[in-house]
Amino acid sequence: MVDISFKNRYVYVDVGARSYGSSIGSWFRKQYPKQNKTFEVYAIEADKTFHDEYKTKKAVTLLPYAAWVKNESLFFEINRDPDHKVEVVKGRGMGRIRPNQSSAKSDGEVIKIKGFDFAEWLKRTVSAKDFVVVKMDVEGTEFDLIPRLFKTGAICLIDEIFLECHYNRWQRCCPGERSSKYEKTYGQCLDLFNSLRQSGVLVHQWW
């Protein structure tokens, strides 16, 4: 286990947090090896369905926006993927960013939300003297956020990241067919993980 005792602060950032019980309460609070340190916890979640719950969680700071590459308005599509294990709250499926309102057909609900520059926020919020853990489950937007972290140098502020990478996996329902929900391939996911490891970030696959 890595020694983190010399760090100034201990910070956990859940990007794509959904409900408190989705990962903060069920995993980070109970299972992550915090080494008797008190972590500041940030939940980044754009779907307002989950916002009220965080009002009762005094130890969690909610950022009710979408982590993105700049500050701008975005369209957020909430849809169920029949080939993906989803946590459904009040009938809510997983949400993903659509930077532009395209004419592409959508079977889900599309709402307008605010996005913020995650890399710049991270640079303002933590320092190299802090121990920073990030969980990122953003339905494909990792291919935008991770390069932005490298470009700005903010990647150097992250000590450990739990990342779910989304790609055009085979569909259980339809043998021989890949999901059209994501454009990236499994090989591109491997490249993303390798780039993080080569930069010195301890990265794990999140499911």
Side-chain angles (χ1 to χ4, degrees), residues 25-72:
S26 63
W27 171 73
F28 183 75
R29 293 292 195 199
K30 295 180 180 180
Q31 299 181 38
Y32 185 80
K34 293 179 279 296
Q35 300 184 39
N36 295 318
K37 302 298 181 182
T38 299
F39 277 70
E40 300 172 35
V41 178
Y42 293 88
I44 299 176
E45 177 53 58
D47 190 343
K48 62 183 180 181
T49 299
F50 305 104
H51 293 173
D52 283 347
E53 179 184 9
Y54 285 99
K55 293 178 182 179
T56 64
K57 309 299 180 184
K58 295 182 180 180
V60 180
T61 299
L62 172 67
L63 280 69
Y65 315 107
W68 187 230
V69 298
K70 58 182 176 180
N71 300 323
E72 66 174 347

Side-chain angles (χ1 to χ4, degrees), residues 192-205:
L192 197 64
F193 277 98
N194 287 334
S195 68
L196 289 163
R197 291 192 177 103
Q198 290 171 5
S199 73
V201 178
L202 185 61
V203 57
H204 314 274
Q205 188 167 1

Side-chain angles (χ1 to χ4, degrees), residues 84-130:
H84 193 284
K85 182 179 71 174
V86 298
E87 169 214 4
V88 179
V89 177
K90 299 179 181 178
R92 211 65 164 172
M94 304 298 288
R96 62 173 178 162
I97 289 174
R98 294 174 59 176
N100 298 303
Q101 177 70 306
S102 68
S103 58
K105 181 180 178 181
S106 172
D107 294 326
E109 176 187 0
V110 178
I111 59 176
K112 196 169 185 179
I113 59 170
K114 291 183 179 180
F116 73 102
D117 190 328
F118 173 65
E120 291 299 331
W121 171 84
L122 194 65
K123 290 168 67 175
R124 294 193 306 269
T125 305
V126 302
S127 76
K129 295 181 180 180
D130 302 328

